Every structure is written in C-alpha cells, then in structure tokens.
C-alpha cells in the first residue's frame, strides 16, 4: 500500500506515525574554538533542519553541491553524530540507542550510495556482498541466507549467473541493482538513496527509478531520495525539501513545489531543468552575447 | 547511400570531418574494433551532439579527432580532418599545433586537468606563450580578457589564484578559457557539465552556446543527457556499439526518430512532469566490443527486430538528404519521438 497524497497544499500530520521525524538537526564540521584557537574555521553543514517522512512515501531532498544533503542522509541513520537535534526513526529516538540496538535499527533503515563501484567490495563476489547485511543480524542458516540473496537478486532484475560474478564484471546499472538488493535484503522500512542513479546512463536510470517505485508499491518502503536533478525527484517524490547552505529553504507537496515554488532559489533550480525537445528550449543561450565584457572583437584583435 | 550526406552542403565550412573512421584496440581478445566506419562532420557556427550509452565509442571518436588515442589503439580505416588537415599524416609537432590552435577539448572533470601547483592564470597563459611565443606579461593580459570572455568575475584578481580556490563550475570556465586561448575553430566538449550541479550546468551550457555564436566556431558536444542535446544542439549523431546509427537535425531526431535505439533513448528521457507513470527504457546492455555481432548491432535489444532483415549487416540508409538511419526496417516503422 502506498499512502501517497498528491492533493492538498500542506501535508499536515498523517494518520500513521512517521517513518522519520527530525527536529532541529544540526551538524558542524571543523575544530571547535578553544582558548588557543579562538577563530577556528567551522562550517555548519546542516543547520536546524526539520523533516518528516510518512510511511510508504518519498521525500526528495534537492539542492546544489555542498548544500548538506548527504550529511543529512548520514545523520538520520546516525552514520555520523549530530551536534544538535532530535531524530525519531521508525518510532525510536535514535540518540539513545546502544551500538547493538543501532545495528539492529540499520537492518530496518538502510542506505544506497551514488557510486556502486566504491560501495561494493571489489574482492567479493556479488552473492557475498548481497548476503553480508544478514550476517550482522544473525538468525538465518547459510543456505537460507543465499536463498534470500538469490530471490533478491532476481527481484532487482538480475539473473542467477550474476551471483558468482565480481563487481568489475558488471556494468554500472547492474551494480546499482546489486546495491539495491543488498540494501533490501534485511527487509527495511526506510532507505536513504543518495544520488542513486547519478552515475548511470539514461536508459539505466529509468530502470532503477522504476524499480525503486515498484518496490515502494510492493513493500511500502519510505525513501529519502537525495539528488540535484529535479527531473528525477519529480518522478519519485511525494514531497520535496529544498536545501541550500545547510538550511531548508522550502518544503512541501511535490506537485505544489514544482508548480508554485515559493522560494526564489527553487525557481532557479526549476529553470535549470533542460527541456525535452529542441522546440521548447528553455536556456537563453543567445542573450547578452554583446557588450559588457567587451570581448566580441577579441578574435580580430588576435588573428 | 551511406552517410557521406554531410558532403552535399557547406563543404567549405567543415571544421572537422571524420570519414569512415575505424579504430581498433589491442585487448586480451586480440585487436578489437571499437569505432566502426564513423562519418561525422562539424561545421562553423553549429553545435553537433554525439550521444549514446556508456561504451558506445563517443570518447574514442573524439580522441581520434584530436590525435590523442591511447597507445593500444590505432586508426585502421578512414581518416579525420581538422580544418582540412588529415590528422594521421601530421608529425607530432604539427599535431601539437592542431591541438593547441585549431581544435581544443574540454572534459568532464575540469579539476583533474588543472595543475594544483600553478595559478590558473599561468596555466592558461602557458598555452599562449607556447603556441604564440608571447611574453609572460602579454599572455597574462590576454588571459584576463579570456577570463572575462568566459564570465569569471573579477578576472584580474582571479587569474592569480590556484585551482583549489575555484568551484567545479568555475574550473570548467577556466578550462574553456584555456581551450579558447588560441582561437580554435573547433571545440570538443566531452560531458562538460556531467559533474556539475543543475544550476551551474545551465550556466556553463549557456556560456558554451553564447561563445559558439559569438566566435562562430563549431562545437562537438558529447553527452548522454538528451535534455542537454535538446537545449544545445543543431544536429545530432547517435552512436551505438561503435557505429553511428542515426543522424539528423535536432528537431527531426527528437520528433521523427528513424532508429529504434534513438526512439528508445527518447522514451527513457527523464520528463519533468507527473510522477507515477513508469519510464520507458531499453532493456539489456551495449555488448562489449569483442562481442559486437555481425548483424544489426542493436537487434538483440530491439523490440522491432524481425528475423529476416535484421539478421544481416545493416548500412546507414538515407531518409532524407540530412537524415539517415542504420535500421533495416526504416520504411515500415513508425517510431515514437518526444511528445510536446
Ligand atoms: N567530513 C567532513 N568534514 C568537513 N567538512 C565536511 C565533511 N563532510 C562534508 N563536509 C562539508 O559539508 C558541506 C555539506 O556537504 P554534503 O556532502 O552534505 O553536501 P551535498 O549537498 O551532499 O553535496 P553534493 O551534491 O556535492 O554531494 C560541504 O561544504 C562539505 O564540504
Ligand atoms: N584503450 C582502450 N583499450 C581497450 N578498450 C578501450 C580503450 N578505450 C576504450 N575502450 C573500449 O571502447 C569502447 C568505447 O569506449 P568510449 O570511452 O569511447 O565510450 P563512451 O561512449 O565515451 O562511453 P562513456 O559514456 O562511458 O564515456 C568501450 O567498450 C571501452 O571499454
Ligand atoms: Mg552529496
Ligand atoms: Mg566517454
């Protein structure tokens, strides 16, 4: 079931308890100032961010490079420690979890990264990479684990033969499917997808996006989908949050944000989406080719 | 019949021309053809797009044009001309001249092309000193002008800075300044904005378009983002498994594709519209070069393939004087393009 609501301007608290609820999330990088080091250079990578993701829905997190998107993604799974803020993940305040509890939590809340070439161990055959998260959690026999892995590998559209292969024997799109199979093997309710298709070809991007959408329909998984490509976010997100310099500028229903962006920066992002046909060019390439820089005559001058 | 169609018009304007370009590499499978019979022309005042999935041979084609093929690769058939000079007949010295002065190339990772130990200004000026024999002072003066040309703010100050003080988008502007330093007539841009985020991508693309019009140069733009092609290109060549499978002006290619591969790419193009509807895609993969079949190379992945016609080598067929397609069913297929 998918509890997507695409009408109505503000997604007020939904029926079900949220999958993720974040308040005042803050992360500061760089050394703290001390007596000796008064003006240490500190960077507030994430600055008092509030987010909610309802079960079975997708929040698209967009913004320019360095905005803090990946930092948010890692914080909400407590892969890095926040400096301030409260994170409720699957009904639990994760600040208080012990190591063991956190490990169990990570079976239910997993992550897919941009580059499958670096997120998978190059020396491990695919089957071992996919099985690995199950080892951490125990409770399955060896044959059960491989059966599960095979089912998952098939589910993401790969064949039995791929199980024995190594990462270098596969394409980027196939490897990203492996990464998805690995993220899904523990049957999670929430997945952080950090630029999951940025490294893939158009035709492969489409396959992976379709797969993520299907899996959501099938299993009611929630996604935090991080991307700077608004075309992708438009295809997958129920809600969108726009981030810049560590702060959330705007968030809301995806349709609303795309149709009636409130913030100037959101409008800029939308204007940067390329059109789909040479007949509807959006970029004003020929404007302003004269004048102010005074370089129109450079060619003659040098020739 | 095959696509020397580009010859029919504006021959004199060609800044780059590949004829029947065929490149082989030495691999563990022996010598393998990775680019096969490519015809490609870029004229003054136009942007030609070269598109296709990863591994289709786009970069190898462009490296051949610049005489920059890796050691294990060689041109085994055909030729490449830049400004009328045949690349394979040139001495290393003449090649350096072609690369620095007549044709220039920018890449996906601008930062990797810059030396972190020197100021960006010195690196751009170096090209002018080498190719034009200018003094350091004169070259630096011109570098400031070039920085203004590529719209780097506070050019006079920024020429003195080091690469790490520049963002990715600004690095690509520096690479453009370097590429344009000696007034080339051909600019090859291989995925120039793939590593940049959307707003910066837009700015850099707009800049390339503006410079192309302003300087009257020809641009070969390599990308796998059809949205970028739609925004930028006048003509497009689509490559698949080492061959050009379709070429046409951009409008025709997007609206009346005549090759199932092109049509498939257009269907999988990300739409900035409603969610929920599954995207079209082409199943399967580009085969590795040593497994390129002797039949139509796309046949295995093609939902329109029929036994008879598609199981043989397929040549480029002319659809109209400026449009050709390497599809055996060119006359009986009606393929979907983009819908407005
Ligand atoms: N471990 C770290 N130490 C210091 N600074 C960091 C660290 N990780 C990230 N930063 C900085 O925090 C800011 C946010 O980085 P983050 O990776 O979250 O951005 P992003 O939005 O994911 O960008 P991109 O689109 O480029 O992936 C950046 O300025 C980055 O340089
Ligand atoms: N030096 C080389 N030795 C062996 N094979 C090579 C070499 N260079 C390229 N190839 C192969 O030639 C084919 C075409 O490569 P090319 O880099 O031109 O693809 P491309 O279209 O630019 O792809 P991408 O979009 O990934 O950049 C690929 O199968 C590649 O593996
Ligand atoms: Mg990131
Ligand atoms: Mg390439």
């Amino acid at each position: 079931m998918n509890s997507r609501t695409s009408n109505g301007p503000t997604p007020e608290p939904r029926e079900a308890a949220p999958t993720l609820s974040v308040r005042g999330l803050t992360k500061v990088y760089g050394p703290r100032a001390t007596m000796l080091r008064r003006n240490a250079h500190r960077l507030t990578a994430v600055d008092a961010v509030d987010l909610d993701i309802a079960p079975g829905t997708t929040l698209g997190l967009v913004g320019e490079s360095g905005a803090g998107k990946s930092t948010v993604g890692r914080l909400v799974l407590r892969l890095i420690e926040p400096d301030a803020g409260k994170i409720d993940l699957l009904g639990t305040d994760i600040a208080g979890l012990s190591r063991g509890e956190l490990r169990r939590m990570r079976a239910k809340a997993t992550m897919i990264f941009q580059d499958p070439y670096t997120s998978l161990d190059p020396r491990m055959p695919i089957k071992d990479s996919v099985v690995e998260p199950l080892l951490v959690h125990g409770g399955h026999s060896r044959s059960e684990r491989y059966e599960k892995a095979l089912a998952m590998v098939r589910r993401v559209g790969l064949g039995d033969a791929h199980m024995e292969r190594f990462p270098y024997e596969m394409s980027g799109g196939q490897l990203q499917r492996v990464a998805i199979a690995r993220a899904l093997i523990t049957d999670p309710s929430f997945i952080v997808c950090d630029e999951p298709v940025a490294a893939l070809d158009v035709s492969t991007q489409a396959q992976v996006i379709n797969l993520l959408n299907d899996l959501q329909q099938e299993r009611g998984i929630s996604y935090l989908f991080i991307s700077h490509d608004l075309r992708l976010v438009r295809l997958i997100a129920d809600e969108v949050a726009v981030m810049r310099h560590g702060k959330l500028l705007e968030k809301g229903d995806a349709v609303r944000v795309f149709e009636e962006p409130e913030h100037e920066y959101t409008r800029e992002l939308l204007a940067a989406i390329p059109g789909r046909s040479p007949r509807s060019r959006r970029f004003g390439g020929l404007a302003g080719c004269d004048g102010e820089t005074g370089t129109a005559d450079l060619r003659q001058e040098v020739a | 019949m095959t696509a020397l169609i580009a010859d029919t018009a504006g021959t004199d304007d060609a800044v780059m021309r590949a004829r029947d370009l065929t490149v082989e590499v030495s691999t563990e499978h022996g010598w393998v053809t990775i680019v096969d019979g490519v015809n490609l022309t870029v004229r003054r005042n136009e942007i030609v797009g070269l598109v296709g999935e990863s591994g289709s041979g786009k970069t190898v084609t462009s490296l051949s044009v610049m005489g920059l093929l890796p050691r294990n690769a060689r041109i085994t058939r055909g030729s490449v001309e830049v400004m009328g000079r045949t690349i394979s007949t040139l001495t290393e010295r003449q090649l350096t001249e072609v690369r620095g002065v007549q044709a220039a190339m920018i890449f996906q990772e601008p930062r990797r092309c810059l030396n972190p130990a020197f100021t960006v200004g010195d690196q751009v000026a170096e090209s002018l000193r080498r190719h034009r024999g200018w003094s350091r002072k004169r070259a630096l003066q011109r570098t400031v002008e070039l920085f203004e040309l590529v719209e780097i703010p506070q050019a006079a100050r920024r020429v003195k800075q080091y690469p790490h003080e520049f963002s990715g988008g600004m690095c690509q502007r520096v690479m453009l300044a370097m590429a344009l330093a000696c007034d080339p007539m051909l600019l090859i841009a291989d995925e120039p904005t793939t590593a940049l985020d959307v707003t910066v991508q837009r700015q850099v693309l707009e800049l390339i378009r503006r410079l192309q019009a302003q300087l009257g140069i020809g641009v070969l733009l390599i990308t796998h983002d059809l949205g970028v092609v739609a925004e930028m290109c006048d003509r497009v060549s689509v490559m698949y498994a080492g061959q050009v499978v379709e070429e046409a002006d951009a409008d025709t290619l997007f609206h009346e594709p005549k090759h199932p591969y092109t049509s498939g790419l257009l269907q999988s193009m990300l739409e900035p519209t409603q969610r929920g509807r599954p995207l079209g895609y082409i199943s399967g993969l580009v085969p590795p070069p040593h497994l390129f079949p002797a039949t139509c190379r796309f046949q295995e992945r093609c939902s329109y393939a029929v036994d008879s016609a598609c199981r043989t080598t397929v040549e480029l067929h002319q659809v109209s004087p400026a449009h050709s397609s390497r599809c055996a069913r060119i006359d009986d297929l009606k393929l979907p393009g983009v819908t407005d």
Side-chain angles (χ1 to χ4, degrees):
Chain A
M1 258 292 288
N2 192 313
S3 62
R4 179 183 301 157
T5 51
S6 47
N7 41 13
T10 31
E12 281 305 304
R14 294 166 195 250
E15 297 286 330
T19 300
L20 177 72
S21 174
V22 167
R23 291 292 172 270
L25 188 62
T26 300
K27 176 72 187 176
V28 183
Y29 285 120
R32 280 173 203 283
T34 60
M35 293 280 280
L36 296 174
R37 194 173 46 203
R38 291 264 186 85
N39 298 319
H41 180 74
R42 309 196 74 204
L43 172 84
T44 308
V46 175
D47 193 353
V49 163
D50 298 345
L51 291 175
D52 292 283
I53 305 178
T57 69
T58 300
L59 175 71
L61 184 58
V62 304
E64 65 199 6
S65 182
K69 306 181 297 294
S70 297
T71 306
V72 167
R74 287 194 288 264
L75 284 170
V76 300
L77 298 181
R78 230 180 110 192
L79 294 169
I80 52 176
E81 295 295 329
D83 288 285
K86 186 166 184 303
I87 304 164
D88 280 310
L89 182 58
L90 305 171
T92 311
D93 180 347
I94 62 172
L97 296 186
S98 68
R99 264 168 190 264
E101 287 167 330
L102 204 54
R103 212 182 308 130
R104 274 193 292 283
M105 175 60 89
R106 293 215 184 102
K108 294 291 150 208
T110 61
M111 186 151 181
I112 305 168
F113 298 90
Q114 168 169 350
D115 190 352
Y117 291 95
T118 54
S119 65
L120 296 169
D121 188 334
R123 293 155 307 180
M124 256 191 208
I126 297 308
K127 58 177 184 191
D128 291 345
S129 279
V130 176
V131 152
E132 200 184 30
L134 283 180
L135 295 175
V136 182
H137 308 289
H140 294 283
S141 73
R142 193 185 145 80
S143 63
E144 273 171 359
R145 288 198 297 267
Y146 283 96
E147 232 164 79
K148 256 178 113 71
L150 181 59
M152 203 50 76
V153 162
R154 286 184 182 149
R155 177 61 197 90
V156 299
L158 298 173
D160 303 14
H162 293 113
M163 293 282 282
E164 307 298 328
R165 293 209 191 151
F166 286 87
Y168 66 85
E169 296 174 291
M170 299 176 75
S171 73
Q174 289 174 325
L175 284 181
Q176 201 57 292
R177 285 162 180 272
V178 172
I180 294 173
R182 180 181 149 95
L184 280 170
I185 190 103
T186 51
D187 202 16
S189 318
F190 175 59
I191 305 181
V192 175
C193 309
D194 192 356
E195 305 267 11
V197 299
L200 308 178
D201 267 328
V202 264
S203 59
T204 326
Q205 281 189 348
Q207 293 178 44
V208 173
I209 292 291
N210 287 349
L211 176 64
L212 290 173
N213 265 330
D214 290 350
L215 289 166
Q216 180 168 70
Q217 301 283 343
E218 201 176 293
R219 296 160 191 242
I221 306 172
S222 310
Y223 298 126
L224 175 61
F225 188 92
I226 298 173
S227 177
H228 67 251
D229 190 337
L230 276 87
R231 291 172 292 180
L232 286 170
V233 169
R234 189 73 184 87
L235 283 164
I236 199 164
D238 301 282
E239 288 179 25
V240 176
V242 181
M243 197 169 177
R244 191 180 204 185
H245 304 322
K247 292 198 173 72
L248 281 196
L249 299 182
E250 155 162 25
K251 68 181 168 191
D253 181 82
V255 177
R256 203 277 298 153
V257 172
F258 275 79
E259 312 273 311
E260 300 155 43
E262 270 163 17
H263 204 283
E264 179 53 33
Y265 178 64
T266 312
R267 279 192 283 276
E268 250 174 65
L269 284 178
L270 288 169
I273 299 178
R276 299 184 68 244
S277 152
R279 286 179 197 167
S280 53
R281 292 200 165 156
R282 300 156 136 246
F283 295 4
L286 297 177
C289 64
D290 54 350
E292 41 173 15
T293 52
T295 44
D297 52 356
L298 266 184
R299 178 170 295 281
Q300 286 134 298
E301 180 194 314
V302 181
Chain B
M1 178 184 67
T2 52
L4 286 179
I5 45 174
D7 285 355
T8 53
T11 308
D12 300 326
D13 274 352
V15 292
M16 179 239 118
R17 186 193 303 279
R19 293 180 214 257
D20 195 26
L21 175 68
T22 302
V23 179
E24 291 183 5
V25 286
S26 157
T27 70
E28 72 267 30
H29 308 282
W31 285 90
V32 170
T33 304
I34 52 176
V35 166
D36 192 359
V38 165
N39 290 305
L40 186 68
T41 302
V42 180
R43 304 193 196 93
R44 289 195 55 163
N45 279 310
E46 70 172 355
I47 302 184
V48 176
L50 188 58
V51 297
E53 283 165 286
S54 185
S56 52
K58 307 181 296 292
T59 296
V60 171
T61 300
S62 64
L63 293 178
S64 315
V65 176
M66 299 296 286
L68 286 172
L69 281 175
R71 275 181 204 288
N72 66 335
R74 61 179 188 207
I75 296 180
T76 52
R77 215 173 63 224
S79 66
V80 185
E81 284 168 25
V82 173
M83 299 301 287
R85 300 166 85 182
T86 305
I87 292 297
S88 55
T89 64
L90 301 182
T91 63
E92 194 52 40
R93 210 187 144 144
Q94 290 169 317
L95 264 180
T96 311
E97 156 99 7
V98 166
R99 272 179 223 138
V101 181
Q102 279 152 350
M105 192 158 176
I106 59 172
F107 301 91
Q108 177 167 343
E109 284 289 348
R111 203 176 296 275
R112 249 186 247 164
C113 305
L114 289 167
N115 187 331
F118 295 94
T119 66
V120 290
D122 277 335
Q123 295 183 62
V124 176
E126 169 60 23
S127 169
L128 287 160
R129 298 175 68 189
R130 186 158 26 121
H131 293 292
R132 296 225 192 273
W134 288 3
S135 69
R136 178 161 187 268
K137 185 159 171 249
R138 186 171 177 204
L140 272 175
Q141 264 169 11
R142 163 82 170 147
T143 300
V144 173
E145 291 171 346
L146 285 163
F147 273 35
E148 284 166 358
L149 179 72
V150 298
E151 295 162 11
I152 296 175
Q154 299 180 284
R157 187 174 65 83
R158 300 218 68 177
V159 290
K160 301 194 190 104
Q161 294 184 328
Y162 290 85
H164 74 263
E165 298 172 76
F166 283 67
S167 68
M170 281 295 155
C171 280
Q172 198 56 291
R173 287 172 195 262
V174 172
M175 292 313 297
L176 266 171
M178 196 183 288
L180 298 173
C182 298
D183 304 290
M185 287 312 296
L186 170 67
L187 174 68
I188 299 182
D190 191 348
E191 305 273 10
T193 59
T194 309
L196 306 176
D197 65 53
V198 270
T199 45
V200 182
Q201 166 173 358
R202 174 183 181 150
Q203 290 158 8
V204 171
L205 290 174
E206 284 183 341
L207 176 65
I208 291 175
R209 193 151 185 91
R210 206 144 60 225
L211 291 170
Q212 179 270 319
Q214 184 178 340
L215 305 174
I217 60 179
V219 175
L220 181 65
L221 178 65
I222 299 176
T223 177
H224 64 250
D225 188 335
L226 286 164
V228 169
V229 176
E231 286 292 341
M232 297 287 288
C233 298
D234 302 299
R235 290 191 301 119
V236 188
S237 287
V238 180
M239 275 190 91
Y240 184 78
Q243 299 176 321
V244 171
V245 294
E246 181 159 14
E247 74 180 312
D249 67 86
D251 191 86
T252 307
L253 191 102
F254 276 74
H255 293 275
E256 297 158 50
K258 281 290 180 190
H259 196 286
Y261 181 61
T262 311
S263 179
L265 287 179
L266 291 171
Q267 302 316 304
S268 62
M269 181 157 66
L270 301 172
E271 283 189 60
T273 58
Q274 294 288 341
R275 71 162 283 192
R277 193 153 56 87
L279 282 167
Y281 61 85
I282 309 165
S283 58
L285 291 172
V286 185
H290 69 281
L291 297 177
F292 287 167
T295 61
C296 162
R297 290 187 182 171
F298 185 58
Q299 183 241 139
E300 293 179 342
R301 300 174 71 190
C302 181
S303 45
Y304 301 94
V306 291
D307 265 0
S308 49
C310 305
R311 290 287 164 85
T312 58
T313 315
V314 181
E315 302 291 328
L316 264 181
H317 299 288
Q318 201 162 315
V319 181
S320 66
H323 187 184
S324 51
S325 160
R326 195 182 286 275
C327 176
R329 301 190 59 196
I330 194 167
D331 294 322
D332 66 280
L333 284 183
K334 177 97 184 74
L335 298 166
V338 291
T339 44
D340 296 297

